[in-house]
Amino acid sequence: MGSGRTIFRTRLLMKNILILILFIFGFSLLFAEDKEITEPAVSVSVNPSVLTAGSPFTVSIFIDYPFPDDITVITPPFPASITLERFFKAPRTAGGVTRTLLEYRFSLAGPPNAGNSLRMGSFTLITPLGIAETGDIVINIRATGEETIVTRLVWEGHSRQMAVGERATITLRVNNPNIQLPQPAFFMPEVPRGVILSRLQIPPQEREDGIVLKLTLIPLETGNFNLPSRVLLQGRVRFEIPSLLIRITERIR
């Protein structure tokens, strides 16, 4: 009789343990799936992509979360050869979507050696939606004394004035299409507030003719649409991009 009760209790205990294990396993899968869905996306860009001796550079981190004050950033140890000059975080809106920009501006503390690279560890971004990681950031260094090819670009297809709600297509053309050109995303500027600025596909023939960037511009408020001049480096090529200024007026009814 006692033996039967013991067997019954043992089976009941094993059944309860099995139910508990299944519950914990199912909860873990649910948590993992929820984390995968809610973890905010993050992207990183470095400008210029190739450093020269003594040149400053900027690391820009975009995260798909619109409220900068809610974001906690854990930075990796910075290499001893660079100095942090400035940091800020602010919302940026493009195509009706608001993300947060975190921008770090560094300067080189000393001239780099040829063939070297700077490696920074991963930035950790903590938000109410989850934790995002940038992954290690590697910055290439060009030796001083290497010949630089200066390539100037020009904005085309725009007028000096537009009205709110109008649509315009503007292009960026290089004066030396025979050099190896980066992808259009390399030339994409930071989008100012108050406009929709989206990148368009470039037909092969236009790319052969020197078009490196094609944009649709829709202003949403009055003022000045201004893209400052920039210098981008890709290998030994220095791309000099002029500023672009368009006055935005009230919509004509």
Side-chain angles (χ1 to χ4, degrees):
M1 189 73 175
S3 176
R5 291 181 179 177
T6 301
I7 294 174
F8 175 76
R9 290 174 180 174
T10 301
R11 289 179 178 175
L12 182 61
L13 178 61
M14 292 179 64
K15 181 179 179 180
N16 290 337
I17 292 174
L18 179 60
I19 293 174
L20 179 61
I21 292 174
L22 291 175
F23 175 79
I24 294 174
F25 179 73
F27 182 78
S28 299
L29 288 179
L30 180 62
F31 178 78
E33 182 179 352
D34 182 67
K35 179 180 179 182
E36 182 180 353
I37 293 174
T38 60
E39 181 177 299
V42 62
S43 60
V44 179
S45 64
V46 179
N47 185 32
S49 58
V50 180
L51 295 182
T52 55
S55 63
F57 66 99
T58 301
V59 175
S60 300
I61 302 173
F62 280 96
I63 181 169
D64 288 348
Y65 186 78
F67 306 111
D69 292 341
D70 294 346
I71 300 174
T72 300
V73 185
I74 301 176
T75 60
F78 297 140
S81 58
I82 66 174
T83 302
L84 178 62
E85 293 184 344
R86 185 189 66 185
F87 163 73
F88 78 90
K89 58 180 179 178
R92 289 291 184 270
T93 301
V97 177
T98 301
R99 300 187 295 169
T100 294
L101 167 65
L102 301 97
E103 186 173 280
Y104 295 81
R105 183 177 176 85
F106 298 95
S107 62
L108 283 171
N113 296 321
N116 285 350
S117 62
L118 290 175
R119 178 180 293 273
M120 287 189 283
S122 179
F123 289 71
T124 302
L125 311 177
I126 304 174
T127 77
L129 295 182
I131 299 175
E133 298 279 350
T134 63
D136 288 355
I137 300 173
V138 179
I139 304 164
N140 297 318
I141 298 174
R142 185 179 69 238
T144 57
E146 290 185 357
E147 181 183 357
T148 300
I149 302 173
V150 178
T151 302
R152 294 178 175 84
L153 297 91
V154 61
W155 291 106
E156 297 179 342
H158 64 89
S159 60
R160 294 180 179 272
Q161 181 173 304
M162 292 178 60
V164 171
E166 286 187 342
R167 180 189 298 265
T169 299
I170 56 178
T171 58
L172 186 64
R173 183 188 298 273
V174 67
N175 66 356
N176 184 9
N178 296 321
I179 65 174
Q180 185 175 359
L181 294 174
Q183 292 300 310
F186 175 80
F187 298 97
M188 185 68 186
E190 182 179 324
V191 181
R193 292 189 179 187
V195 301
I196 296 175
L197 191 66
S198 55
R199 184 159 51 90
L200 300 174
Q201 294 292 329
I202 304 174
Q205 183 57 50
E206 291 186 4
R207 187 163 175 82
E208 291 178 5
D209 292 339
I211 299 296
V212 298
L213 185 65
K214 194 172 186 178
L215 302 170
T216 292
L217 169 64
I218 304 176
L220 304 177
E221 57 187 41
T222 60
N224 289 325
F225 169 73
N226 181 30
L227 296 179
S229 60
R230 294 180 294 152
V231 173
L232 304 177
L233 296 177
Q234 177 74 19
R236 296 189 302 110
V237 182
R238 174 187 172 98
F239 295 97
E240 297 184 350
I241 303 175
S243 61
L244 174 63
L245 179 63
I246 301 176
R247 182 167 174 257
I248 309 300
T249 62
E250 293 283 355
R251 185 167 186 170
I252 301 175
R253 301 184 183 277

Coordinates of all heavy atoms in Angstrom, one line a residue, residues 148-221:
T148 N 46.6 62.8 -53.9 CA 45.2 62.9 -53.8 C 44.6 63.4 -55.1 O 45.0 64.4 -55.6 CB 44.8 63.8 -52.6 OG1 45.3 63.3 -51.4 CG2 43.3 63.9 -52.5
I149 N 43.5 62.7 -55.5 CA 42.8 63.1 -56.7 C 41.6 64.0 -56.3 O 40.7 63.5 -55.6 CB 42.3 61.9 -57.5 CG1 43.5 61.0 -57.9 CG2 41.5 62.4 -58.7 CD1 43.0 59.7 -58.6
V150 N 41.6 65.3 -56.6 CA 40.6 66.2 -56.2 C 39.5 66.2 -57.3 O 39.8 66.4 -58.5 CB 41.1 67.6 -56.0 CG1 40.0 68.6 -55.7 CG2 42.2 67.7 -55.0
T151 N 38.3 65.9 -56.9 CA 37.1 65.8 -57.8 C 36.0 66.7 -57.3 O 35.6 66.5 -56.2 CB 36.6 64.3 -57.9 OG1 37.7 63.5 -58.3 CG2 35.5 64.2 -58.8
R152 N 35.7 67.6 -58.1 CA 34.6 68.6 -57.7 C 33.3 68.1 -58.3 O 33.2 67.6 -59.4 CB 35.0 70.0 -58.2 CG 36.2 70.5 -57.5 CD 36.6 71.9 -58.0 NE 37.7 72.4 -57.2 CZ 39.0 72.1 -57.4 NH1 39.3 71.3 -58.5 NH2 40.0 72.6 -56.7
L153 N 32.2 68.4 -57.5 CA 30.9 68.0 -57.9 C 30.0 69.3 -58.0 O 30.4 70.3 -57.5 CB 30.3 67.0 -57.0 CG 31.0 65.7 -56.8 CD1 32.0 65.7 -55.8 CD2 30.0 64.5 -56.6
V154 N 28.9 69.1 -58.7 CA 28.0 70.3 -58.8 C 26.5 69.8 -58.7 O 26.2 68.7 -59.1 CB 28.2 70.9 -60.2 CG1 27.9 70.0 -61.4 CG2 27.4 72.2 -60.4
W155 N 25.7 70.7 -58.1 CA 24.3 70.4 -58.0 C 23.6 70.9 -59.2 O 23.9 72.0 -59.7 CB 23.6 71.1 -56.8 CG 24.1 70.6 -55.4 CD1 25.0 71.1 -54.6 CD2 23.6 69.4 -54.8 NE1 25.1 70.4 -53.4 CE2 24.3 69.3 -53.6 CE3 22.7 68.4 -55.2 CZ2 24.1 68.2 -52.7 CZ3 22.5 67.3 -54.3 CH2 23.2 67.2 -53.1
E156 N 22.6 70.1 -59.7 CA 21.9 70.4 -61.0 C 20.4 70.2 -60.8 O 20.0 69.4 -59.9 CB 22.4 69.6 -62.1 CG 23.8 69.8 -62.5 CD 24.3 68.9 -63.7 OE1 23.6 67.9 -64.0 OE2 25.3 69.3 -64.3
G157 N 19.6 70.8 -61.7 CA 18.2 70.6 -61.7 C 17.3 71.3 -60.7 O 16.2 70.9 -60.5
H158 N 17.9 72.3 -60.0 CA 17.1 73.0 -59.0 C 17.0 74.4 -59.3 O 17.7 75.0 -60.1 CB 17.8 72.8 -57.6 CG 19.1 73.5 -57.6 ND1 19.3 74.8 -57.2 CD2 20.4 73.0 -57.9 CE1 20.6 75.1 -57.3 NE2 21.3 74.1 -57.7
S159 N 16.0 75.1 -58.7 CA 15.8 76.5 -58.8 C 16.2 77.2 -57.5 O 16.5 76.5 -56.5 CB 14.3 76.8 -59.2 OG 13.5 76.4 -58.1
R160 N 16.3 78.5 -57.6 CA 16.7 79.2 -56.4 C 15.5 79.3 -55.4 O 15.7 79.7 -54.2 CB 17.2 80.6 -56.7 CG 18.4 80.6 -57.5 CD 18.8 82.1 -57.9 NE 20.1 82.1 -58.6 CZ 21.3 82.1 -58.1 NH1 21.4 82.1 -56.8 NH2 22.4 82.2 -58.8
Q161 N 14.3 79.0 -55.8 CA 13.1 79.2 -55.0 C 12.1 78.2 -55.2 O 11.9 77.8 -56.4 CB 12.5 80.6 -55.2 CG 11.3 81.0 -54.3 CD 10.9 82.4 -54.5 OE1 11.7 83.3 -54.3 NE2 9.6 82.6 -54.8
M162 N 11.4 77.7 -54.2 CA 10.3 76.7 -54.3 C 9.3 77.1 -53.3 O 9.5 77.9 -52.3 CB 10.8 75.3 -53.9 CG 11.8 74.7 -54.9 SD 12.3 73.0 -54.4 CE 10.7 72.1 -54.3
A163 N 8.1 76.6 -53.5 CA 7.0 76.8 -52.5 C 6.8 75.5 -51.7 O 7.1 74.4 -52.1 CB 5.7 77.1 -53.3
V164 N 6.2 75.7 -50.5 CA 5.9 74.6 -49.7 C 5.0 73.6 -50.4 O 4.0 74.0 -51.1 CB 5.2 75.0 -48.4 CG1 4.6 73.9 -47.6 CG2 6.1 75.9 -47.5
G165 N 5.3 72.3 -50.4 CA 4.5 71.3 -51.0 C 4.9 71.0 -52.4 O 4.5 69.9 -53.0
E166 N 5.7 71.8 -53.0 CA 6.2 71.5 -54.4 C 7.2 70.4 -54.4 O 7.8 70.1 -53.3 CB 6.9 72.7 -55.0 CG 5.9 73.8 -55.4 CD 6.6 74.9 -56.2 OE1 7.8 75.1 -56.1 OE2 5.9 75.7 -56.9
R167 N 7.4 69.7 -55.5 CA 8.3 68.6 -55.6 C 9.3 68.9 -56.7 O 9.0 69.4 -57.8 CB 7.5 67.3 -56.0 CG 8.4 66.1 -56.2 CD 7.5 65.0 -56.8 NE 6.4 64.6 -55.9 CZ 6.5 63.6 -55.1 NH1 7.6 62.9 -55.0 NH2 5.4 63.3 -54.3
A168 N 10.6 68.6 -56.4 CA 11.7 68.9 -57.3 C 12.6 67.7 -57.3 O 12.8 67.1 -56.2 CB 12.4 70.2 -57.0
T169 N 13.3 67.5 -58.4 CA 14.3 66.5 -58.5 C 15.6 67.2 -58.7 O 15.8 68.0 -59.6 CB 14.1 65.5 -59.7 OG1 12.8 64.8 -59.5 CG2 15.2 64.5 -59.8
I170 N 16.6 66.9 -57.8 CA 17.9 67.6 -57.9 C 18.9 66.4 -58.0 O 18.8 65.4 -57.4 CB 18.2 68.5 -56.7 CG1 18.0 67.7 -55.4 CG2 17.2 69.7 -56.7 CD1 18.3 68.6 -54.1
T171 N 20.0 66.7 -58.7 CA 21.0 65.7 -58.9 C 22.4 66.3 -58.5 O 22.6 67.5 -58.5 CB 21.1 65.3 -60.4 OG1 21.3 66.4 -61.2 CG2 19.8 64.6 -60.8
L172 N 23.3 65.4 -58.3 CA 24.7 65.8 -57.9 C 25.5 65.1 -59.0 O 25.5 63.9 -59.2 CB 25.1 65.3 -56.5 CG 26.4 65.7 -56.0 CD1 26.5 67.2 -55.9 CD2 26.7 65.0 -54.7
R173 N 26.3 65.9 -59.7 CA 27.1 65.4 -60.8 C 28.6 65.5 -60.5 O 29.1 66.6 -60.0 CB 26.8 66.1 -62.1 CG 27.5 65.5 -63.4 CD 27.3 66.4 -64.6 NE 25.9 66.4 -65.0 CZ 25.3 65.5 -65.8 NH1 26.1 64.5 -66.3 NH2 24.1 65.6 -66.1
V174 N 29.4 64.5 -60.9 CA 30.9 64.6 -60.7 C 31.5 65.0 -62.0 O 31.0 64.8 -63.1 CB 31.4 63.2 -60.3 CG1 31.2 62.2 -61.4 CG2 32.8 63.3 -59.8
N175 N 32.6 65.8 -61.9 CA 33.2 66.3 -63.1 C 34.2 65.3 -63.7 O 34.8 65.6 -64.8 CB 33.9 67.6 -62.8 CG 35.1 67.5 -61.9 OD1 35.4 66.4 -61.4 ND2 35.9 68.5 -61.6
N176 N 34.4 64.2 -63.1 CA 35.3 63.2 -63.6 C 34.7 61.8 -63.5 O 35.1 61.0 -62.6 CB 36.7 63.3 -62.9 CG 37.7 62.3 -63.5 OD1 37.5 61.7 -64.5 ND2 38.8 62.2 -62.8
P177 N 33.8 61.5 -64.4 CA 33.1 60.2 -64.2 C 34.0 59.0 -64.5 O 33.6 57.8 -64.4 CB 32.0 60.3 -65.3 CG 32.5 61.3 -66.3 CD 33.3 62.2 -65.5
N178 N 35.2 59.2 -65.0 CA 36.1 58.1 -65.3 C 36.7 57.4 -64.1 O 37.3 56.3 -64.2 CB 37.2 58.6 -66.3 CG 36.7 59.1 -67.6 OD1 35.8 58.5 -68.1 ND2 37.3 60.2 -68.1
I179 N 36.7 58.1 -62.9 CA 37.2 57.5 -61.7 C 36.2 56.5 -61.2 O 35.0 56.6 -61.5 CB 37.5 58.6 -60.7 CG1 36.3 59.3 -60.2 CG2 38.6 59.6 -61.2 CD1 36.5 60.2 -59.1
Q180 N 36.6 55.6 -60.3 CA 35.7 54.6 -59.7 C 34.9 55.4 -58.7 O 35.4 55.9 -57.7 CB 36.5 53.5 -59.1 CG 35.6 52.4 -58.5 CD 36.4 51.2 -58.0 OE1 37.7 51.2 -58.1 NE2 35.7 50.2 -57.5
L181 N 33.6 55.3 -58.9 CA 32.7 56.1 -58.0 C 32.1 55.2 -57.0 O 31.7 54.1 -57.2 CB 31.5 56.7 -58.9 CG 31.9 57.7 -59.9 CD1 30.7 58.1 -60.8 CD2 32.5 59.0 -59.2
P182 N 31.9 55.7 -55.7 CA 31.2 55.0 -54.7 C 29.8 54.9 -55.0 O 29.2 55.5 -55.9 CB 31.5 55.9 -53.4 CG 32.6 56.8 -53.8 CD 32.5 57.0 -55.3
Q183 N 29.0 54.1 -54.2 CA 27.6 54.0 -54.4 C 26.9 55.3 -54.0 O 27.5 56.1 -53.2 CB 27.1 52.8 -53.5 CG 27.5 51.5 -54.0 CD 27.1 51.2 -55.4 OE1 25.9 51.3 -55.8 NE2 28.0 50.7 -56.2
P184 N 25.7 55.6 -54.5 CA 25.0 56.8 -54.2 C 24.8 57.1 -52.7 O 24.9 58.3 -52.3 CB 23.6 56.6 -54.9 CG 23.9 55.7 -56.0 CD 25.0 54.8 -55.5
A185 N 24.7 56.1 -51.9 CA 24.5 56.3 -50.4 C 25.7 57.0 -49.8 O 25.6 57.7 -48.8 CB 24.2 55.0 -49.7
F186 N 26.9 56.9 -50.4 CA 28.1 57.5 -49.9 C 27.9 59.1 -50.0 O 28.5 59.8 -49.1 CB 29.3 57.1 -50.8 CG 30.6 57.8 -50.5 CD1 31.3 57.4 -49.4 CD2 31.0 58.8 -51.3 CE1 32.5 58.0 -49.1 CE2 32.2 59.5 -51.0 CZ 33.0 59.0 -49.9
F187 N 27.2 59.6 -51.0 CA 27.0 61.0 -51.2 C 25.8 61.6 -50.5 O 25.6 62.8 -50.5 CB 27.0 61.4 -52.6 CG 28.2 61.0 -53.4 CD1 28.2 59.8 -54.1 CD2 29.3 61.8 -53.4 CE1 29.4 59.4 -54.8 CE2 30.5 61.4 -54.1 CZ 30.5 60.2 -54.8
M188 N 25.0 60.8 -49.8 CA 23.7 61.2 -49.3 C 24.0 62.2 -48.1 O 24.7 61.9 -47.2 CB 22.9 60.0 -48.7 CG 21.5 60.4 -48.2 SD 20.5 61.0 -49.6 CE 19.0 61.5 -48.6
P189 N 23.4 63.4 -48.1 CA 23.7 64.4 -47.1 C 22.7 64.1 -45.9 O 21.8 63.3 -46.0 CB 23.3 65.7 -47.7 CG 22.2 65.3 -48.7 CD 22.6 64.0 -49.2
E190 N 23.0 64.7 -44.8 CA 22.1 64.7 -43.6 C 20.9 65.5 -44.0 O 21.0 66.6 -44.5 CB 22.8 65.3 -42.4 CG 22.0 65.3 -41.1 CD 22.7 65.8 -39.9 OE1 23.9 65.7 -39.8 OE2 22.0 66.5 -39.1
V191 N 19.7 65.0 -43.7 CA 18.5 65.6 -44.1 C 18.1 66.7 -43.1 O 17.9 66.4 -41.9 CB 17.3 64.6 -44.2 CG1 16.0 65.2 -44.6 CG2 17.7 63.4 -45.1
P192 N 17.9 67.9 -43.5 CA 17.5 69.0 -42.6 C 16.1 68.8 -42.2 O 15.3 68.1 -42.8 CB 17.7 70.3 -43.4 CG 18.5 69.9 -44.6 CD 18.2 68.4 -44.9
R193 N 15.7 69.5 -41.1 CA 14.3 69.5 -40.7 C 13.4 70.3 -41.7 O 13.9 71.2 -42.4 CB 14.2 70.1 -39.3 CG 14.8 69.3 -38.2 CD 14.5 69.9 -36.8 NE 15.1 69.1 -35.7 CZ 14.8 69.3 -34.5 NH1 14.0 70.2 -34.1 NH2 15.4 68.5 -33.5
G194 N 12.2 69.9 -41.7 CA 11.2 70.7 -42.5 C 11.1 70.3 -43.9 O 10.5 71.0 -44.7
V195 N 11.7 69.2 -44.4 CA 11.7 68.8 -45.7 C 11.6 67.2 -45.8 O 11.9 66.5 -44.8 CB 12.9 69.2 -46.6 CG1 13.1 70.7 -46.6 CG2 14.2 68.5 -46.0
I196 N 11.1 66.7 -46.9 CA 11.2 65.3 -47.3 C 12.3 65.2 -48.3 O 12.2 65.9 -49.4 CB 9.9 64.8 -47.8 CG1 8.8 64.8 -46.6 CG2 10.1 63.3 -48.3 CD1 7.5 64.4 -47.1
L197 N 13.3 64.5 -48.1 CA 14.4 64.3 -49.0 C 14.7 62.9 -49.2 O 15.2 62.2 -48.3 CB 15.7 65.1 -48.5 CG 16.8 65.2 -49.5 CD1 16.4 66.2 -50.7 CD2 18.1 65.8 -48.8
S198 N 14.4 62.3 -50.3 CA 14.5 60.9 -50.5 C 15.4 60.6 -51.8 O 15.4 61.3 -52.7 CB 13.2 60.2 -50.7 OG 12.5 60.8 -51.8
R199 N 16.2 59.5 -51.7 CA 17.1 59.1 -52.7 C 16.4 58.3 -53.8 O 15.6 57.4 -53.5 CB 18.3 58.4 -52.1 CG 19.4 58.0 -53.1 CD 20.7 57.7 -52.3 NE 20.5 56.8 -51.3 CZ 20.6 55.4 -51.4 NH1 20.9 54.9 -52.6 NH2 20.5 54.7 -50.3
L200 N 16.7 58.6 -55.1 CA 16.1 58.0 -56.2 C 17.1 57.0 -56.9 O 18.3 57.2 -56.8 CB 15.6 59.0 -57.2 CG 14.5 60.0 -56.8 CD1 14.2 61.0 -57.8 CD2 13.2 59.2 -56.4
Q201 N 16.6 56.0 -57.6 CA 17.4 55.2 -58.4 C 18.0 56.0 -59.6 O 17.3 56.8 -60.2 CB 16.6 54.0 -58.9 CG 16.2 53.0 -57.8 CD 17.3 52.3 -57.2 OE1 18.4 52.0 -57.8 NE2 17.2 52.0 -55.9
I202 N 19.2 55.7 -59.9 CA 19.9 56.3 -61.0 C 20.0 55.4 -62.2 O 20.6 54.3 -62.0 CB 21.3 56.8 -60.6 CG1 21.2 57.7 -59.4 CG2 22.0 57.5 -61.8 CD1 22.6 58.2 -58.8
P203 N 19.4 55.7 -63.3 CA 19.6 54.8 -64.5 C 21.0 54.6 -64.9 O 21.9 55.6 -64.7 CB 18.8 55.5 -65.6 CG 17.8 56.4 -64.9 CD 18.6 56.8 -63.6
P204 N 21.4 53.5 -65.5 CA 22.8 53.3 -65.8 C 23.4 54.3 -66.7 O 24.6 54.7 -66.5 CB 22.8 51.9 -66.5 CG 21.6 51.2 -65.9 CD 20.6 52.3 -65.7
Q205 N 22.6 54.8 -67.7 CA 23.2 55.8 -68.6 C 23.5 57.1 -67.9 O 24.5 57.8 -68.1 CB 22.2 56.1 -69.7 CG 22.7 57.1 -70.8 CD 24.0 56.7 -71.4 OE1 24.1 55.5 -71.9 NE2 25.0 57.5 -71.5
E206 N 22.6 57.5 -66.9 CA 22.9 58.8 -66.2 C 24.1 58.6 -65.3 O 24.9 59.5 -65.1 CB 21.7 59.2 -65.3 CG 20.5 59.6 -66.2 CD 19.3 60.1 -65.3 OE1 19.5 60.2 -64.1 OE2 18.3 60.4 -65.8
R207 N 24.3 57.4 -64.7 CA 25.5 57.2 -63.9 C 26.7 57.2 -64.7 O 27.7 57.8 -64.3 CB 25.3 55.8 -63.2 CG 26.4 55.6 -62.1 CD 26.1 54.4 -61.2 NE 27.2 54.1 -60.3 CZ 27.5 54.8 -59.2 NH1 26.7 55.8 -58.8 NH2 28.5 54.4 -58.4
E208 N 26.7 56.7 -65.9 CA 27.8 56.8 -66.8 C 28.1 58.2 -67.2 O 29.3 58.6 -67.4 CB 27.6 56.0 -68.1 CG 27.5 54.5 -67.9 CD 27.2 53.7 -69.1 OE1 27.1 54.4 -70.2 OE2 27.1 52.5 -69.1
D209 N 27.1 59.1 -67.2 CA 27.3 60.5 -67.5 C 27.8 61.3 -66.3 O 27.9 62.5 -66.4 CB 26.0 61.1 -68.0 CG 25.6 60.5 -69.4 OD1 26.5 60.0 -70.1 OD2 24.4 60.6 -69.8
G210 N 27.9 60.7 -65.2 CA 28.5 61.4 -64.0 C 27.5 61.7 -62.9 O 27.9 62.3 -61.9
I211 N 26.2 61.3 -63.0 CA 25.3 61.5 -61.9 C 25.6 60.5 -60.8 O 25.5 59.3 -61.0 CB 23.8 61.4 -62.4 CG1 23.5 62.4 -63.5 CG2 22.9 61.5 -61.2 CD1 23.6 63.8 -63.1
V212 N 25.9 61.1 -59.6 CA 26.2 60.2 -58.5 C 25.1 60.2 -57.4 O 25.1 59.3 -56.6 CB 27.6 60.6 -57.8 CG1 28.7 60.5 -58.8 CG2 27.5 62.0 -57.3
L213 N 24.2 61.1 -57.5 CA 23.1 61.2 -56.5 C 21.9 61.9 -57.1 O 22.1 62.9 -57.8 CB 23.6 61.9 -55.2 CG 22.6 62.0 -54.1 CD1 22.4 60.6 -53.5 CD2 23.1 62.9 -52.9
K214 N 20.8 61.3 -56.9 CA 19.5 61.8 -57.4 C 18.5 61.9 -56.3 O 18.2 60.8 -55.7 CB 19.0 61.0 -58.6 CG 18.0 61.6 -59.5 CD 17.7 60.8 -60.7 CE 16.8 61.5 -61.7 NZ 16.6 60.7 -62.9
L215 N 17.9 63.0 -56.0 CA 17.1 63.2 -54.9 C 15.7 63.8 -55.3 O 15.7 64.7 -56.2 CB 17.8 64.1 -53.8 CG 19.1 63.7 -53.3 CD1 19.7 64.8 -52.5 CD2 19.0 62.4 -52.5
T216 N 14.7 63.4 -54.5 CA 13.4 64.1 -54.6 C 13.3 65.0 -53.3 O 13.5 64.6 -52.2 CB 12.2 63.1 -54.6 OG1 12.3 62.4 -55.8 CG2 10.9 63.9 -54.5
L217 N 13.0 66.3 -53.6 CA 12.9 67.3 -52.5 C 11.4 67.8 -52.4 O 10.9 68.2 -53.4 CB 13.8 68.4 -52.7 CG 13.6 69.7 -51.8 CD1 13.9 69.3 -50.4 CD2 14.5 70.8 -52.3
I218 N 10.8 67.7 -51.2 CA 9.5 68.2 -51.0 C 9.6 69.1 -49.7 O 9.7 68.5 -48.6 CB 8.4 67.2 -50.8 CG1 8.4 66.2 -52.0 CG2 7.1 67.8 -50.6 CD1 7.4 65.1 -51.9
P219 N 9.6 70.4 -49.8 CA 9.6 71.2 -48.6 C 8.3 71.2 -47.9 O 7.3 71.3 -48.5 CB 10.0 72.6 -49.1 CG 9.6 72.6 -50.5 CD 9.7 71.2 -51.0
L220 N 8.3 71.2 -46.5 CA 7.1 71.2 -45.7 C 6.9 72.5 -45.0 O 5.8 72.6 -44.4 CB 7.2 70.0 -44.7 CG 7.5 68.6 -45.3 CD1 7.7 67.6 -44.2 CD2 6.4 68.2 -46.2
E221 N 7.8 73.4 -44.9 CA 7.6 74.6 -44.2 C 8.5 75.7 -44.9 O 9.5 75.4 -45.6 CB 8.0 74.5 -42.7 CG 9.4 74.0 -42.5 CD 9.6 73.7 -41.0 OE1 8.7 73.1 -40.4 OE2 10.8 74.0 -40.5

